[in-house]
């Protein structure tokens, strides 16, 4: 029996969703024009005024915002409310340059927590559940978002944050946690540790997991589901838009429903910026239509995905996005070939290796090199060189057919690649490009 946190919104008619989007977008454009000089200037440069935006059909006229804009306007240049009305900031881990700092009014936090509550209920959560939030707390949005959502659903919430895996497992067992929220790589690590402790899935009380903040493949999902004996759900979000809960998976596990009463999604051609027809793969762009303090219009996420409005068996009517198929910026171009780390992960998991690997890219004598270091599981660990060479060759062949290029594969001992409790560092690019 499918359950919803806000059924009247989550199963609203398409006409109703369009009406909300039209009204809220018009209001939001007026809001940024009046209160964000940085954005007003961008609109003026395109010869636009708020009167040019009469409905969501006019969205494509507005200028894009990018991470570069966020860095340029840092810290207060995109804030649309007086600071006395803002009650919190969250911030990204910032892989390049200045961190992205997002601002929230109390109303913004309430709406964000509603989105996370929808995700928890879509994963089967109710007020009977014990929800362990093992995402990082503090500036990172994962912990605070799911924590608030869990409270709204009425779950008993265990705010463990990430790290201290033995304590995580102790709480899961002693407090009978039924839902685990963390990054997929940390879920895999918790599962691996439990297995080493001799725990079988039926001895673990968990029934569901909500995993996001990094890319993970279907194979990794199966792996986590088998090890922990749970159903693993994807969740998506960006600090710039609020945090996790922008979209989430339902029982169908075939893509994530976008909370369209708060966010309008578009798919564009990353080269030309042109909006692509429904069903095309391209770069995901979001407009936040209910945010008060930090409203971003047409924010380019750099995530590559597809949107679909096919009827979902769960009864939710909001558009679904596929799991991001990579990014326009974490895409590696190696010897002219586009390579996404998720493709490499798929090959490894298909060959029975755990999702603990590192991709090292370098340039030797003007030629790109691709070295994939892969951890063996304790069961497959051997010091028989012939056996190791044979396995490495199998992976080289698998990667060649997936990527169309030859990679060097090095099998390494179990536990020798550094574990991450936040986002896993999968790629080390040593090229000076």
């Amino acid at each position: 029996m499918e359950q919803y946190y806000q059924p009247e919104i989550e199963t609203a008619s398409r006409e109703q969703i369009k009406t909300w989007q039209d009204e809220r977008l018009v209001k939001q454009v007026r809001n940024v024009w009046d209160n964000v000089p940085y954005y007003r200037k961008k609109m003026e440069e395109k010869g636009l005024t708020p009167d040019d935006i009469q409905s969501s059909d006019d969205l494509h006229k507005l200028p894009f915002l990018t991470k570069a804009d966020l860095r340029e306007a840092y810290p207060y240049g995109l804030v649309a409310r007086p600071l006395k009305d803002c009650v919190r900031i969250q911030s990204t881990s910032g892989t390049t340059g200045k961190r992205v700092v997002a601002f929230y009014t109390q109303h913004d936090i309430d709406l964000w927590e509603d989105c996370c509550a929808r995700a928890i209920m879509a994963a089967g959560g109710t007020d009977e559940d014990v929800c362990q939030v093992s995402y990082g707390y503090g500036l990172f949005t994962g912990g605070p978002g799911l924590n608030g959502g869990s409270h709204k659903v009425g779950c008993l919430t265990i705010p463990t944050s990430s790290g201290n895996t033995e304590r995580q497992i102790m709480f899961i067992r002693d407090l009978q946690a039924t839902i685990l929220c963390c990054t997929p790589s940390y879920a895999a690590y918790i599962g691996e540790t439990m297995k080493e402790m001799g725990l079988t899935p039926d001895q673990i009380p968990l029934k569901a997991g909500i995993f996001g903040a990094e890319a993970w493949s279907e194979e990794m999902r199966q792996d986590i589901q088998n090890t922990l004996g749970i159903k693993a759900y994807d969740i998506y979000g960006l600090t710039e838009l609020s945090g996790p809960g922008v979209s989430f998976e339902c029982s169908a596990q075939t893509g994530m429903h976008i909370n369209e009463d708060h966010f309008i999604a578009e798919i564009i051609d990353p080269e030309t910026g042109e909006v692509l027809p429904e069903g095309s793969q391209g770069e995901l762009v979001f407009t936040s239509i209910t945010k008060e303090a930090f409203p971003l219009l047409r924010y380019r996420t750099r995530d590559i995905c597809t949107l679909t409005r096919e009827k979902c068996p769960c009864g939710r009517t909001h558009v679904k996005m596929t799991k991001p198929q990579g990014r326009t910026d974490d895409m590696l171009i190696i010897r002219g070939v586009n390579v996404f780390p998720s493709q490499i992960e798929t090959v490894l998991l298909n060959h029975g290796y755990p999702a603990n690997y590192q991709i090292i890219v370098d340039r030797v004598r003007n030629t790109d090199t691709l070295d994939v270091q892969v951890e063996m599981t304790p069961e497959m660990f051997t010091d028989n060189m012939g056996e190791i060479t044979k396995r490495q060759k199998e992976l080289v062949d698998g990667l060649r057919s997936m990527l169309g290029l030859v990679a060097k594969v090095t099998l390494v001992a179990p536990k020798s690649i550094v574990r991450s409790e936040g986002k896993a560092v999968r790629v080390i690019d040593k090229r000076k490009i």
Side-chain angles (χ1 to χ4, degrees):
M1 210 345 234
E2 197 69 37
Q3 53 192 23
Y4 314 99
Y5 178 65
Q6 293 166 311
E8 67 296 342
I9 298 174
E10 295 175 65
T11 62
S13 68
R14 289 304 318 162
E15 296 70 39
Q16 176 62 70
I17 293 171
K18 172 92 166 75
T19 303
W20 284 329
Q21 291 190 337
D22 291 347
E23 288 169 0
R24 291 169 184 179
L25 176 66
V26 167
K27 206 170 138 193
Q28 190 70 288
V29 170
R30 172 64 63 187
N31 174 32
V32 296
W33 175 270
D34 290 344
N35 298 306
V36 185
Y38 186 95
Y39 207 85
R40 182 179 184 149
K41 183 167 171 278
K42 282 186 88 87
M43 283 179 67
E44 286 172 342
E45 282 165 5
K46 287 198 80 168
L48 291 170
T49 71
D51 296 337
D52 295 309
I53 311 300
Q54 298 292 322
S55 77
S56 57
D57 300 332
D58 298 321
L59 182 61
H60 65 96
K61 298 175 183 173
L62 290 167
F64 291 115
L65 277 178
T66 64
K67 217 158 207 165
D69 289 306
L70 270 62
R71 283 200 285 271
E72 195 181 315
Y74 172 92
Y76 295 131
L78 288 167
V79 181
R81 283 287 179 279
L83 287 185
K84 71 177 179 55
D85 295 345
C86 300
V87 297
R88 192 197 295 175
I89 66 144
Q90 302 281 172
S91 174
T92 63
S93 47
T95 41
T96 48
K98 285 181 186 147
R99 300 180 74 98
V100 169
V101 174
F103 296 77
Y104 300 74
T105 62
Q106 186 56 51
H107 183 61
D108 291 335
I109 289 173
D110 285 339
L111 296 186
W112 174 27
E113 290 178 348
D114 285 345
C115 290
C116 290
R118 291 179 194 175
I120 290 169
M121 289 195 72
T126 69
D127 55 9
E128 302 276 327
D129 281 290
V130 178
C131 182
Q132 184 153 321
V133 183
S134 306
Y135 283 111
Y137 279 68
L139 291 169
F140 180 60
T141 52
L146 270 304
N147 191 85
S150 174
H151 282 204
K152 286 210 162 176
V153 172
C155 304
L156 174 61
T157 309
I158 313 175
T160 48
S161 195
S162 59
N164 200 334
T165 306
E166 282 68 34
R167 190 180 62 193
Q168 301 273 2
I169 294 170
M170 180 189 85
F171 277 138
I172 289 170
R173 297 182 71 198
D174 294 355
L175 298 173
Q176 293 291 293
T178 49
I179 300 173
L180 175 65
C181 307
C182 61
T183 58
S185 54
Y186 195 43
Y189 182 48
I190 289 175
E192 197 181 291
T193 309
M194 285 188 174
K195 201 169 168 183
E196 280 167 14
M197 291 166 67
L199 290 171
T200 56
D202 55 0
Q203 293 171 295
I204 300 167
L206 295 171
K207 64 173 190 185
I210 298 175
F211 307 130
E214 58 188 19
W216 52 311
S217 57
E218 275 308 310
E219 289 80 8
M220 188 169 179
R221 185 209 303 265
Q222 295 306 328
D223 219 33
I224 292 170
Q225 291 192 151
N226 296 339
T227 313
L228 291 172
I230 61 173
K231 199 161 172 178
Y233 296 84
D234 208 345
I235 189 169
Y236 174 90
L238 304 127
T239 303
E240 296 91 319
L241 296 172
S242 61
V246 171
S247 67
F248 57 85
E249 265 188 331
C250 61
S251 53
Q253 290 177 301
T254 53
M256 294 171 275
H257 289 282
I258 293 168
N259 284 309
E260 288 189 279
D261 51 326
H262 300 303
F263 307 101
I264 303 178
E266 303 169 275
I267 294 287
I268 63 163
D269 178 321
E271 298 296 314
T272 64
E274 180 196 353
V275 180
L276 298 174
E278 183 110 350
S280 312
Q281 189 180 68
E283 182 182 344
L284 182 60
V285 172
F286 272 118
T287 295
S288 50
I289 49 177
T290 53
K291 282 288 287 278
E292 293 181 335
F294 199 67
L296 297 189
L297 304 190
R298 301 200 83 203
Y299 181 68
R300 295 185 60 161
T301 66
R302 302 289 174 199
D303 282 321
I304 301 289
C305 73
T306 309
L307 299 180
T308 171
R309 290 196 193 280
E310 274 173 30
K311 201 166 177 314
C312 186
C314 79
R316 288 177 182 80
T317 49
H318 295 227
V319 69
K320 285 207 291 202
M321 59 180 270
T322 57
K323 202 183 254 303
Q325 306 298 298
R327 292 173 60 80
T328 58
D329 55 3
D330 86 352
M331 184 175 80
L332 295 161
I333 299 182
I334 298 170
R335 304 199 283 275
V337 178
N338 293 352
V339 174
F340 289 106
S342 54
Q343 295 172 301
I344 294 176
E345 178 173 305
T346 297
V347 172
L348 300 182
L349 286 158
N350 281 340
H351 282 80
Y353 293 85
N356 291 314
Y357 62 93
Q358 226 157 30
I359 300 163
I360 298 160
V361 186
D362 209 344
R363 187 161 283 170
V364 180
R365 293 191 294 279
N366 297 324
T367 303
D368 291 342
T369 61
L370 175 61
D371 184 359
V372 185
Q373 304 205 334
V374 186
E375 247 183 39
M376 293 184 270
T377 62
E379 298 81 75
M380 59 170 68
F381 183 61
T382 172
D383 50 12
N384 175 336
M385 281 319 290
E387 181 59 27
I388 287 179
T389 307
K390 179 171 149 264
R391 288 186 191 155
Q392 288 177 167
K393 185 179 179 312
E394 281 170 8
L395 286 178
V396 168
D397 294 343
L399 289 168
R400 186 193 290 118
S401 61
M402 170 67 89
L403 306 171
L405 51 81
V406 177
K408 179 184 170 203
V409 173
T410 311
L411 289 176
V412 298
K415 292 268 195 294
S416 58
I417 292 175
V418 175
R419 292 300 191 275
S420 160
E421 286 160 356
K423 293 194 184 187
V425 180
R426 298 294 193 208
V427 180
I428 298 169
D429 195 338
K430 297 178 173 176
R431 297 174 295 181
K432 305 284 178 279
I433 295 178

